Amino acid sequence: METLPTKPEVEIDGDYEAAMQTVRRAIEHFRGCSPEERASLQRDLDQLHSMADKLAAGKVEIVVFGEISTGKSALINALVGQAVADVNVRGGWTKDVWNVGWNGSGFIVPGLASSEVVLVDTPGLNEVDGAQRATMAHEAAARADLVLFVTDSDLNEVEYSALLELAATHKPILLVLNKADLYTPQEVSELMTVFSGPRLAGVVDPENVVIAKADPRQVEYYIESADGRTRQEWRKPAPDVADLRDRILEVLAAEGKALIALNAAMYAADKSDRMGALRVRMRNERATATIWSFAVMKALGVALTPYPIADVLGGTVCDATMVVTLGRIYGISITTANARELITSIVRAAGVVMGVEWLVHAASGLFKGLTFGIGTVATALPQGAAAGWGSYIVGESARYYFEHGASWGPQGPKRVVTQILENTDKQSVLQRLKDEIKKKITSNRYARK
């Protein structure tokens, strides 16, 4: 088959430009990360930048998969036309994911005259120490625009499972029966029938099953000279990957530009989801630690302060500081005054339930006042636990507010706070707060007097 036409178009179409914008937006979305988040997400951000460069250059990545010793490296050599990949009789020779430019393919992405096709080799699916290599292989598959799945026999369970995983990525797959020279024509025909059967229906299209002889075994020839004498000679036939090369070019010519654009958009969406989930988890972990830290701080402060007015004022300052801190965790700036307004709206939304805290506060505060602070130890557990509980609910409600972009959403604050109260094990929280107060009193000899 002749090399397919590669005359570039004048402009990049809208779908390709839209894919570029999708990748750029995914990168921009994480510019506001905290240093801790950026450290955890740096690898993902680097990969998104690499995808942006790939898309801008019009690079087509064809990733080669298969078990060890199925001839993946030999196949790349045969396609490129020179020995660029190490080929060794020892299984597991390919130790890393690496790529080589396929300059002889003759394919150029329309509109991008500087584009190139790259063949990417991966470690064998059944390698020893395969966990890390499997991760590398799957990351290569995520970037792939086209997948070559190489086998040298009927698919075993490892190969079949891997092929199903790859098919789930919705990338076009060419199933390559390599080492066809090891079989008789009848055996090759039978294998092709199996590959076109129900087991691979919907996984690999029959027209995408291709035969190859990337590194043919030597063949014994009997050569007869002019004088009638014969001699034996072993010769190695030239690689035969013409059908595979033609099918690759057919797919790229028909869908190459769309494949690159779609793959980049899917890659960016997947990375955004993963990075977003990781960032939310990190922020939630920090928020949980912050809420509990301030709840305990307020519980101890209120419990151990002998002056009735000071404990209320101190508790209010503690809650406001907690809300401001939570806002920073979620990347939202809020003033102390606005924090107090948010706390007021939360307390109002909680209604009667949160009102109990203030009743305990008032009763305990009155007792403190009447006894000139002597009643601090007696009121420490109930007042401190009630104060900490209120702070905990304020924190959880503020976390929801910030997590949803400084908004209560369509439910409104009353419904949100009610749900938080319903889903929180109050007795467990109160007991934990009481334990913290007891621990502090036990370790403080002045508080026991």
Side-chain angles (χ1 to χ4, degrees):
M1 180 180 289
E2 295 293 325
T3 300
L4 297 169
T6 59
K7 182 179 179 181
E9 297 171 354
V10 177
E11 295 181 352
I12 297 175
D13 61 37
D15 289 342
Y16 203 90
E17 179 60 34
M20 288 182 174
Q21 291 297 332
T22 299
V23 177
R24 291 185 191 124
R25 281 195 299 269
I27 293 171
E28 289 294 329
H29 184 62
F30 291 93
R31 295 232 183 256
C33 290
S34 68
E36 295 82 3
E37 291 168 351
R38 180 169 288 277
S40 296
L41 298 171
Q42 191 59 54
R43 189 162 180 268
D44 295 281
L45 285 168
D46 290 343
Q47 289 172 338
L48 276 172
H49 280 292
S50 178
M51 177 57 74
D53 293 340
K54 172 183 179 297
L55 195 59
K59 182 185 291 185
V60 182
E61 292 192 2
I62 302 175
V63 178
V64 185
F65 281 91
E67 284 199 329
I68 55 175
S69 302
T70 54
K72 298 185 282 84
S73 297
L75 195 69
I76 291 176
N77 287 339
L79 286 169
V80 173
Q82 56 182 309
V84 293
D86 288 316
V87 179
N88 194 288
V89 295
R90 176 165 55 93
W93 183 250
T94 302
K95 300 300 180 184
D96 202 350
V97 173
W98 61 278
N99 59 70
V100 58
W102 188 14
N103 299 323
S105 68
F107 178 80
I108 296 175
V109 177
L112 295 165
S114 61
S115 66
E116 62 175 327
V117 178
V118 174
L119 297 168
V120 182
D121 197 7
T122 62
L125 297 171
N126 55 345
E127 288 266 26
V128 178
D129 301 324
Q132 182 179 359
R133 291 172 192 165
T135 299
M136 292 189 296
H138 286 128
E139 288 180 351
R143 288 176 53 96
D145 301 299
L146 178 64
V147 173
L148 305 185
F149 194 95
V150 185
T151 186
D152 59 4
S153 63
D154 191 9
L155 299 178
N156 59 38
E157 286 307 312
V158 172
E159 291 174 305
Y160 183 65
S161 297
L163 188 57
L164 291 181
E165 288 181 12
L166 289 169
T169 65
H170 305 292
K171 304 293 178 68
I173 299 173
L174 302 188
L175 177 58
V176 184
L177 175 59
N178 195 23
K179 302 185 180 181
D181 53 296
L182 301 180
Y183 298 96
T184 66
Q186 177 63 30
E187 289 172 332
V188 170
S189 178
E190 291 173 357
L191 282 171
M192 295 296 285
T193 300
V194 170
F195 293 150
S196 301
R199 192 184 186 204
L200 293 183
V203 179
V204 179
D205 294 332
E207 63 268 25
N208 286 338
V209 181
V210 187
I211 297 170
K213 302 172 186 176
D215 187 22
R217 61 180 177 177
Q218 289 186 331
V219 177
E220 185 179 13
Y221 289 87
Y222 288 87
I223 303 170
E224 185 174 350
S225 60
D227 59 5
R229 290 181 298 176
T230 61
R231 60 186 174 87
Q232 295 173 274
E233 185 176 309
W234 288 88
R235 294 180 181 177
K236 190 177 184 65
D240 184 1
V241 292
D243 289 345
L244 174 60
R245 180 180 184 277
D246 291 347
R247 184 57 188 152
I248 291 172
L249 292 176
E250 286 173 359
V251 172
L252 294 183
E255 310 174 42
K257 195 172 183 181
L259 286 177
I260 301 172
L262 177 61
N263 176 54
M266 289 172 58
Y267 188 84
D270 181 69
K271 282 293 181 186
S272 292
D273 289 345
R274 191 191 109 73
M275 294 166 73
L278 181 60
R279 187 170 69 172
V280 167
R281 188 176 77 242
M282 291 180 65
R283 290 182 174 183
N284 284 344
E285 288 173 353
R286 290 173 59 200
T288 297
T290 297
I291 291 168
W292 185 250
S293 174
F294 275 93
V296 170
M297 188 188 307
K298 181 179 178 182
L300 292 172
V302 170
L304 302 178
T305 300
Y307 308 107
I309 301 300
D311 62 9
V312 175
L313 293 176
T316 303
V317 172
C318 184
D319 282 349
T321 305
M322 174 182 63
V323 170
V324 171
T325 304
L326 288 172
R328 288 175 184 157
I329 289 173
Y330 288 96
I332 295 172
S333 179
I334 182 171
T335 64
T336 302
N338 289 337
R340 287 183 179 135
E341 290 179 9
L342 180 59
I343 293 168
T344 300
S345 69
I346 292 170
V347 173
R348 285 175 180 169
V352 176
V353 179
M354 286 293 289
V356 173
E357 179 202 350
W358 296 106
L359 288 175
V360 175
H361 255 316
S364 300
L366 178 62
F367 185 60
K368 282 183 182 180
L370 292 174
T371 59
F372 302 99
I374 297 174
T376 299
V377 175
T379 61
L381 287 180
Q383 189 183 24
W389 163 251
S391 189
Y392 183 85
I393 293 302
V394 167
E396 288 293 336
S397 302
R399 181 228 292 270
Y400 179 97
Y401 179 79
F402 292 128
E403 195 175 10
H404 292 77
S407 170
W408 294 112
Q411 296 189 89
K414 186 173 182 178
R415 183 58 187 152
V416 170
V417 176
T418 300
Q419 285 181 342
I420 289 172
L421 287 166
E422 290 174 350
N423 296 331
T424 302
D425 186 347
K426 181 177 181 180
Q427 294 308 314
S428 176
V429 173
L430 288 175
Q431 186 57 52
R432 187 175 173 187
L433 289 167
K434 287 178 181 179
D435 290 343
E436 292 288 343
I437 295 170
K438 287 179 183 177
K439 191 186 304 179
K440 181 66 175 179
I441 292 175
T442 302
S443 63
N444 185 348
R445 63 189 180 93
Y446 297 104
R448 291 180 304 208
K449 290 182 178 179

